[in-house]
Amino acid sequence: MSLSHLRAAVTAGDDETLIRYVRLHVGDGDEAAGRREIDKAWIEALTVLLDMPVVDRAFVLDTLGTRDRATLAHLFFSLHFHLVQESGEWIHDGDL
Amino acid sequence: MTATSDGGQLRPGLWHTVNERYPGSMITKSDTVPLARLRRPLAESRLSFVSTAGVQPTGTLPFDVVHPVGDYSFRRVPSGAAPADLEIHQLKYPTDGAHRDLNVIFPIERLQELAREGVVGGLTDNFFSFIGYNMDPDLLERTLAEELAQAVADEQADLALLSPA
């Protein structure tokens, strides 16, 4: 999907096109794989927190409170790929 | 991880589905610029190399492979570098083979050999690399392509070898 296609979807409120693109992006062109990858990232994040390890909430709050929306959105994508890599099950052909 | 080039197409049928999965992503142009003719013999020409392999000097800012719209920057890769001095940041093609021998995707040592043997007159000080997953063809043309073309010209290249990954 080209950028113009995605922008048209935003204008039309076509969320299905937008989330489909995210699935294709994180699934390397395979929408079903993308669904599994999104699930995998959330499962990894949940698993890491189950035992209540100490977290640097000051860092998190400072980041959320001081960084612009674009940087935070990029961080969201970065965290997705980071977490799936940390899970040990890497479906992508190349490297981050 | 997908297997390497040990046999057959890595993802049979992939190309048939590109347009369905990424509608509008294929670049079409109605205006074309004809290829320039060599002004001097190959053995007297300075060669540059431009690749979409996502190869970059180790330790430089990695290409942004997670951005959903792409990365429109390029990296200079010293033409005298050894493969050990370089690394790959790219999600969209299998890099196993390239990690065993970078020359399969970024033939820097082969080009160095061509220069030493006098097949080409020399190499530009730098080669160039970017990643091919860019979803905005207009931005690609306006920024990356223009800046890269200028960078190649600034290196006083007589010809450039272009290679997709």
Side-chain angles (χ1 to χ4, degrees):
Chain A
M1 294 174 200
S2 66
L3 191 59
S4 59
H5 192 82
L6 296 175
R7 283 181 172 145
V10 171
T11 301
D14 183 0
D15 291 347
E16 183 53 33
T17 289
L18 297 174
I19 190 60
R20 182 166 183 253
Y21 178 72
V22 173
R23 293 181 194 124
L24 290 166
H25 177 49
V26 302
D28 278 354
D30 183 328
E31 188 173 6
R35 286 180 188 269
R36 292 193 295 272
E37 288 294 286
I38 292 168
D39 288 352
K40 189 194 301 179
W42 281 107
I43 290 167
E44 182 70 12
L46 173 63
T47 303
V48 167
L49 291 174
L50 280 183
D51 294 333
M52 294 291 291
V54 174
V55 296
D56 187 349
R57 288 201 68 226
F59 163 77
V60 173
L61 293 171
D62 179 67
T63 300
L64 296 178
T66 60
R67 297 304 192 273
D68 60 88
R69 280 165 53 84
T71 298
L72 294 176
H74 189 283
L75 178 61
F76 195 68
F77 277 97
S78 300
L79 284 171
H80 165 87
F81 284 101
H82 178 77
L83 287 167
V84 296
Q85 188 174 48
E86 291 284 298
S87 78
E89 187 185 342
W90 185 248
I91 68 163
H92 303 285
D93 291 327
D95 309 295
L96 290 173
Chain B
M1 184 172 288
T2 305
T4 55
S5 55
D6 292 326
Q9 188 178 353
L10 293 169
R11 292 177 174 174
L14 174 64
W15 303 116
H16 299 295
T17 64
V18 166
N19 273 325
E20 191 276 329
R21 289 179 175 172
Y22 300 100
S25 64
M26 306 303 285
I27 298 174
T28 57
K29 288 182 67 64
S30 55
D31 56 326
T32 58
V33 177
L35 290 175
R37 300 187 68 83
L38 266 181
R39 293 177 182 168
R40 61 188 74 183
L42 188 60
E44 299 173 13
S45 297
R46 183 196 291 257
L47 172 71
S48 195
F49 178 48
V50 179
S51 165
T52 66
V55 170
Q56 54 187 104
T58 301
T60 55
L61 183 67
F63 284 111
D64 188 354
V65 296
V66 308
H67 198 297
V69 184
D71 183 341
Y72 300 81
S73 65
F74 67 87
R75 302 288 183 275
R76 288 177 173 82
V77 178
S79 62
D85 301 327
L86 306 174
E87 60 189 14
I88 305 170
H89 292 280
Q90 167 65 277
L91 283 183
K92 306 299 184 187
Y93 72 85
T95 52
D96 283 8
H99 282 136
R100 288 200 294 272
D101 181 359
L102 186 70
N103 293 285
V104 301
I105 196 73
F106 195 86
I108 189 167
E109 290 178 307
R110 301 293 85 79
L111 296 178
Q112 291 166 354
E113 288 170 3
L114 291 179
R116 279 198 302 272
E117 294 166 1
V119 176
V120 296
L123 306 174
T124 53
D125 289 343
N126 292 291
F127 293 156
F128 301 91
S129 177
F130 60 101
I131 59 173
Y133 182 77
N134 293 306
M135 302 308 292
D136 187 346
D138 293 330
L139 181 61
L140 177 72
E141 183 171 4
R142 262 196 337 269
T143 59
L144 176 58
E146 289 287 341
E147 291 166 7
L148 191 48
Q150 186 60 55
V152 172
D154 289 345
E155 295 265 347
Q156 297 178 311
D158 296 304
L159 74 159
L161 174 64
L162 312 180
S163 173

